Amino acid sequence: EYLKSDILTSNNNIIYTGYNLKVGESKTIYLKVWLDEEAGEAILSKSYNGKIKVELYQRGTRDENLVNIVKSKLVSNYSGVQEDFSGGLVAINTNGDLYNETKSEEIREYRYSGPSVNNYVTFNNELWRIIGVFKDEEGAEHIKIVRNEILTNIFPDSYTINGVTYNIKGDKDNMVYCNKKSSGKINNDFATGGLQYFLNTEIDEKNTKGYLSYLDEESKNMIETNSKYYIGTLTREESEDVGDGVNGSISETVLEAYQHERAVSGCEEGIGPSTNNTNVNVLNNKNCRVWAGNKAVLETKIALMYPSDYGYSALSKYWKTKLFMEVSNSNPAHGNWLQNVKHLNVNVNEEEELLISPTSISNSAMVLWGINLGILRSGNYSVYIRPTLYLKSDVKIISGTGEEDNFYQLEI
């Protein structure tokens, strides 16, 4: 704790990256490390050892495209039943199941699945994780990433955009609302809410900093500008036979969640119909599971994870399990790399992360991920959020293999 450095600017200890040497040219890097003057004799009298790892390669001698490199990691022979499979990149077919290369199936997307996966990437000088590879409507493939650690200590109390002020934080420390106007009730329309505006702007109309202002210019240039996020509604389980402590939780399997998130094709003018003002009407409208007046699709840079992103990150044998099941009941929290991401050390009963999808109980409720138990449930606000985004398809790797201590380094 007393070791200091003027160049180690992140937990990843990256000193220098991206330098191109010309023929006959050299590069000298000076490393300065010192001990804090408050360390004391017990610390000062010790010897310390370390190492510097240098990676060099000739540009143009390998495929540097991030999409292609990630896809090359596909575990093509995984059938979903191997007991020794600890995780990796798997392909999903159009039916939402594991892709089988011996059958005439079409691949829908590629996802990292399992408890231990090498999907680490540095973005904005932070560790992020690769969720998978996804196609846009034009057929271009994009890497989707999520921040490895939750956001903390940067949320303003309110955010003003287009003349409207939204409450971002509630009465409790770090509590975050999806959408709450300063003089109105909570709403689950992420697309038009203060949190969405905060994530996707540099500064608001009252000079309050937005999340984009915390990103470096190179990282901002890597983000796909108008990615589509679908905001269909998931089902809140209300029956009494779902198990202790999970009444009011999410009843879909991962495939059902994927389908319901994207059940927006029948929304006229891209919003929920005025007749969808009850939970029953929302669920009965199979082609527009969107609350009245809410946007069905959001085109933006930064959003939150889907519930299905969480479900598909588990081993495939848990994909048929409903998302409300606790860890002890063999739910998709088992064998799920997202269960190992970093969170604040707080009361585990309060560790809930806000996801992008609304739920059917009311037009103020969203899907929350109960991090400790692995339960997806319905609620009005969350303690935590984690930004999620798609990278441009031409983002390249300059170093790394995806491991936590040798993560992918990117450039655009």
Side-chain angles (χ1 to χ4, degrees):
E1 64 180 302
Y2 292 106
L3 191 64
K4 308 293 183 182
S5 170
D6 58 354
I7 55 177
L8 303 186
T9 57
S10 75
N11 292 331
N12 306 323
N13 294 345
I14 303 169
I15 297 173
Y16 200 86
T17 185
Y19 190 81
N20 295 319
L21 287 173
K22 299 178 181 178
V23 176
E25 184 182 6
S26 65
K27 177 67 178 176
T28 302
I29 298 175
Y30 295 94
L31 177 64
K32 177 183 178 182
V33 180
W34 69 96
L35 293 171
D36 192 285
E37 61 183 4
E38 300 176 358
E41 286 299 323
I43 300 297
L44 295 174
S45 60
K46 293 182 179 180
S47 297
Y48 296 90
N49 298 294
K51 64 181 180 179
I52 298 175
K53 182 179 181 181
V54 178
E55 291 187 354
L56 300 174
Y57 65 89
Q58 184 174 348
R59 302 300 297 271
T61 59
R62 66 173 183 173
D63 186 347
E64 300 165 349
N65 182 268
L66 178 61
V67 168
N68 294 339
I69 289 178
V70 169
K71 287 172 61 176
S72 72
K73 307 295 184 181
L74 177 66
V75 184
S76 59
N77 61 347
Y78 177 53
S79 64
V81 296
Q82 288 100 314
E83 292 298 326
D84 60 346
F85 182 71
S86 62
L89 188 77
V90 301
I92 312 294
N93 64 24
T94 52
N95 293 324
D97 298 317
L98 273 178
Y99 166 76
N100 190 324
E101 60 185 1
T102 64
K103 300 179 181 179
S104 56
E105 296 180 341
E106 182 180 349
I107 295 178
R108 187 180 76 191
E109 63 216 12
Y110 301 83
R111 291 179 179 267
Y112 279 100
S113 170
S116 178
V117 296
N118 294 324
N119 63 346
Y120 291 89
V121 61
T122 183
F123 179 83
N124 195 42
N125 202 29
E126 304 164 340
L127 268 186
W128 288 53
R129 307 293 291 274
I130 298 174
I131 295 175
V133 182
F134 303 84
K135 286 184 179 180
D136 61 24
E137 292 183 346
E138 286 71 43
E141 292 180 312
H142 301 274
I143 296 288
K144 186 177 186 180
I145 62 175
V146 60
R147 197 173 189 267
N148 190 49
E149 298 187 17
I150 57 171
L151 282 181
T152 58
N153 302 323
I154 68 171
F155 296 106
D157 292 333
S158 63
Y159 207 71
T160 302
I161 202 87
N162 298 327
V164 180
T165 298
Y166 299 87
N167 292 335
I168 301 293
K169 292 175 65 176
D171 299 330
K172 196 177 201 179
D173 288 344
N174 291 324
M175 180 190 298
V176 179
Y177 293 115
C178 161
N179 183 352
K180 185 180 181 182
K181 294 181 180 179
S182 58
S183 59
K185 65 179 182 178
I186 302 172
N187 182 270
N188 60 13
D189 188 5
F190 178 81
T192 60
L195 180 58
Q196 188 272 126
Y197 293 130
F198 167 78
L199 288 173
N200 288 282
T201 54
E202 299 265 2
I203 193 168
D204 79 346
E205 295 164 8
K206 295 184 178 179
N207 293 319
T208 304
K209 290 180 66 174
Y211 178 63
L212 275 184
S213 67
Y214 293 92
L215 302 185
D216 59 57
E217 290 301 317
E218 184 177 24
S219 296
K220 284 188 282 191
N221 288 335
M222 292 183 188
I223 304 173
E224 183 63 22
T225 304
N226 290 314
S227 298
K228 286 191 175 182
Y229 296 89
Y230 301 91
I231 319 182
T233 302
L234 267 61
T235 308
R236 178 187 187 269
E237 179 60 65
E238 298 183 73
S239 66
E240 297 181 356
D241 59 352
V242 296
D244 293 338
V246 295
N247 192 37
S249 298
I250 303 305
S251 65
E252 280 94 343
T253 64
V254 61
L255 175 58
E256 292 168 341
Y258 183 95
Q259 293 170 335
H260 293 165
E261 292 158 1
R262 292 155 179 80
V264 299
S265 61
C267 297
E268 295 183 9
E269 299 183 358
I271 61 173
S274 59
T275 55
N276 268 9
N277 54 5
T278 68
N279 59 340
V280 174
N281 287 337
V282 170
L283 297 181
N284 287 343
N285 195 329
K286 305 301 182 184
N287 295 317
C288 185
R289 291 173 61 103
V290 178
W291 284 94
N294 283 15
K295 291 191 69 171
V297 179
L298 169 65
E299 293 188 22
T300 192
K301 292 181 177 181
I302 303 174
L304 305 176
M305 281 194 299
Y306 289 114
S308 62
D309 288 335
Y310 174 78
Y312 276 121
S313 296
L315 290 170
S316 60
K317 64 181 179 180
Y318 299 114
W319 293 354
K320 304 297 183 183
T321 308
K322 292 185 181 295
L323 294 172
F324 66 68
M325 297 298 290
E326 295 186 23
V327 172
S328 58
N329 293 327
S330 299
N331 81 328
H334 276 296
N336 190 323
W337 60 266
L338 276 169
Q339 283 293 137
N340 299 321
V341 295
K342 296 182 179 179
H343 302 269
L344 283 179
N345 183 21
V346 298
N347 186 335
V348 293
N349 294 322
E350 296 178 352
E351 283 196 348
E352 289 186 318
E353 182 173 331
L354 185 67
L355 305 183
I356 195 173
S357 301
T359 66
S360 61
I361 184 60
S362 73
N363 62 353
S364 66
M366 303 280 290
V367 178
L368 304 181
W369 163 24
I371 300 162
N372 181 43
L373 295 177
I375 292 174
L376 299 191
R377 74 171 191 91
S378 177
N380 298 114
Y381 46 76
S382 174
V383 179
Y384 306 132
I385 72 161
R386 193 190 322 271
T388 304
L389 56 91
Y390 293 90
L391 296 173
K392 292 178 179 177
S393 57
D394 58 349
V395 168
K396 295 183 178 182
I397 290 178
I398 58 175
S399 68
T401 55
E403 286 89 356
E404 184 173 8
D405 60 353
N406 192 21
F407 38 81
Y408 294 127
Q409 287 276 311
L410 307 179
E411 71 174 8
I412 182 72

